[in-house]
Amino acid sequence: MPGAPRPRVVLGVAGGIAAYKACSLLRLLVEVPYDVRVVPTESALRFVGEATWAALSHQPVHTTVWDDVHEVPHVRLGQQADLVVVAPATADLLAKAAHGQADDLLTSTLLTARCPVVFAPAMHTEMWEHPATRANVATLRERGALVLEPAEGRLTGVDTGKGRLPEPEQIFDVCRGVLARGDEPLVADLAGRHVVVSAGGTREYLDPVRYLGNRSSGRQGYALARTAALRGASVTLVAANVSLPDPAGVKVTRVGSTRELRDAVLAAARDADAVVMAAAPADFRPAGYADAKIKKADDGSAPTVELTQNPDILAELSHDRPRPGLVVAGFAAETGDATAGVLDHGRAKLARKGCDLLVVNEVGVDKGFESPDNEAVILGADGSQTVVPRGAKEALAHRIWDLVAVRWTATEPPSVPHR
């Protein structure tokens, strides 16, 4: 809406080598655009200077409570913020936040903030796994803060392991999702649940070079995996030909074809509480596979490709559920035609598939596939219809999990988490 105030975000930066990555996160936040104030610690300025933060945020940068004292910044910043995100959050910063220390502007802001707070940890594996850090993380999560799981990979020097800062794009997606929920608190309401999410588009090869595929980027499925993990679930993500970085704290299984996707999803669903099929599996595959590249004919004729139908994974899961109480949700990328509209096609598919929820996307040039945003209508087998307006894919993901959660009965025992 023109003239609407921009969400106010405080970006805290603690003193770790990953502080340089926060510059990319800041650019993403400013470009939305959000009104961003960067609050680094003194040690963070040893890695990235004050001038860089000021230039990228277009805002003054302070580290102590003694600057602009008349504005009472150690209280005002936290009180006025719509979101505080700390990236990187070092072991030291997490310890101070958990114990309520307020010895600089960032920790004072954390103590006065009444908005959602997101911590993106980055440290060496031994520090992350230390009982003191684990206790501090548990304390912060119990108080409602979102502490992301660090990524695995190359650390400082030659070390590798869990402790890398999640990619700036992932942290940004989390921030957008949190802000999109408005006044709805983000709680660990999926804790103790095992959920399976599929993402991406399958490929059916004609020869070693060519394949039948689609435009799915996997972004919506990855948003579903990230948001489920944030809400406490144990998440298995079955990814088909996706180039996105693995979501932190999520088990990722990679597949290529529709039959591989089916086998992986059915295996993971055996002890799952919910399966959300966000992948776009190919409906057909070539009946035969050419061991060598199919060549052009000299006479200009084109080869005929015979197709055979692939398994319908969503229908199979819905009609032959591997465990009682499993909630099954699917996606339908639809376009209207001369016979019916988008929702008419969606309702027919919902009845045909037999799933509990069907997320109906109207696809087009800038809708659905490959777009950072999404909009949908979620149809329920109970006749419900939930409209989700255009916004971040995390916002749609949260709404899907909201509807999945209400379909779990209160007496159903959750599965054992499989982290």
Side-chain angles (χ1 to χ4, degrees):
M1 178 183 297
R6 298 177 180 180
R8 290 163 294 194
V9 178
V10 172
L11 172 58
V13 185
I17 185 63
Y20 76 93
K21 291 186 177 180
C23 296
S24 297
L25 174 60
L26 175 56
R27 290 293 296 267
L28 292 169
L29 293 168
V30 170
E31 287 172 1
V32 170
Y34 296 142
D35 183 2
V36 186
R37 286 290 301 268
V38 181
V39 182
T41 64
E42 286 286 353
S43 56
L45 294 180
R46 290 177 174 266
F47 295 97
V48 180
E50 177 183 328
T52 299
W53 301 122
L56 293 176
S57 68
H58 313 296
Q59 297 279 3
V61 174
H62 303 303
T63 62
T64 77
V65 299
W66 304 111
D67 295 313
D68 297 330
V69 175
H70 65 288
E71 295 182 357
V72 198
H74 70 289
V75 174
R76 179 178 55 82
L77 287 174
Q79 287 178 334
Q80 296 181 353
D82 297 300
L83 172 70
V84 176
V85 52
V86 183
T90 59
D92 178 67
L93 188 285
L94 292 173
K96 288 180 177 180
H99 290 85
Q101 289 184 274
D103 58 1
D104 62 8
L105 186 56
L106 177 54
T107 51
S108 296
T109 299
L110 289 169
L111 207 57
T112 58
R114 294 299 179 265
C115 59
V117 177
V118 176
F119 294 95
M123 64 197 73
H124 275 77
T125 306
E126 293 82 358
M127 299 175 75
W128 173 252
E129 294 177 346
H130 194 282
T133 303
R134 303 308 299 159
N136 291 332
V137 169
T139 296
L140 291 169
R141 286 173 171 167
E142 288 170 5
R143 293 176 184 160
L146 298 179
V147 185
L148 309 185
E149 289 290 314
E152 295 188 31
R154 182 74 175 268
L155 305 174
T156 306
V158 298
D159 297 359
T160 60
K162 190 168 186 177
R164 280 175 60 90
L165 183 74
E167 291 302 316
E169 292 79 10
Q170 293 191 35
I171 304 172
F172 170 69
D173 287 337
V174 170
C175 293
R176 287 192 74 194
V178 171
L179 288 167
R181 288 182 70 82
D183 295 331
E184 293 183 71
L186 190 56
V187 297
D189 56 343
L190 306 187
R193 301 286 183 175
H194 175 211
V195 301
V196 178
V197 178
S198 70
T202 61
R203 295 177 180 177
E204 307 295 340
Y205 280 86
L206 291 83
D207 61 26
V209 177
R210 304 178 181 89
Y211 61 84
L212 301 177
N214 56 63
R215 293 168 49 206
S216 178
S217 66
R219 291 180 181 275
Q220 185 63 68
Y222 273 56
L224 281 156
R226 280 193 300 269
T227 52
L230 279 175
R231 293 169 68 161
S234 171
V235 185
T236 299
L237 173 62
V238 182
N241 306 296
V242 180
S243 60
L244 302 171
D246 291 351
V250 171
K251 177 184 176 183
V252 180
T253 301
R254 298 193 177 280
V255 297
S257 69
T258 297
R259 285 174 290 178
E260 291 174 351
L261 178 69
R262 172 192 175 274
D263 292 344
V265 168
L266 291 183
R270 291 181 189 135
D271 64 352
D273 297 292
V275 177
V276 180
M277 291 291 299
D283 293 327
F284 305 97
R285 67 180 185 274
Y289 173 79
D291 293 328
K293 179 182 176 181
I294 301 171
K295 304 295 184 181
K296 291 182 179 179
D298 292 336
D299 61 3
S301 62
T304 299
V305 178
E306 181 182 354
L307 300 178
T308 186
Q309 190 164 304
N310 267 324
D312 190 326
I313 308 170
L314 180 59
E316 184 176 355
L317 267 174
S318 301
H319 292 294
D320 188 17
R321 307 201 181 200
R323 69 187 299 256
L326 177 71
V327 176
V328 179
F331 273 69
E334 295 287 353
T335 59
D337 56 29
T339 64
V342 170
L343 289 184
D344 296 319
H345 286 305
R347 293 187 185 95
K349 179 172 284 190
L350 175 65
R352 188 169 64 253
K353 302 288 187 181
C355 50
D356 301 290
L357 298 166
L358 189 70
V359 184
V360 182
N361 293 121
E362 182 177 4
V363 295
V365 174
D366 61 345
K367 295 181 179 180
F369 291 136
E370 300 170 337
S371 170
D373 296 329
N374 207 348
E375 58 186 298
V377 178
I378 308 173
L379 302 177
D382 57 2
S384 61
Q385 179 173 308
T386 304
V387 177
V388 182
R390 188 174 183 86
K393 288 189 172 179
E394 269 69 19
L396 174 58
H398 278 301
R399 198 69 190 101
I400 293 168
W401 291 124
D402 291 342
L403 295 174
V404 167
V406 300
R407 279 159 176 76
W408 284 322
T409 62
T411 57
E412 178 192 354
S415 63
V416 178
H418 296 273
R419 288 197 182 278

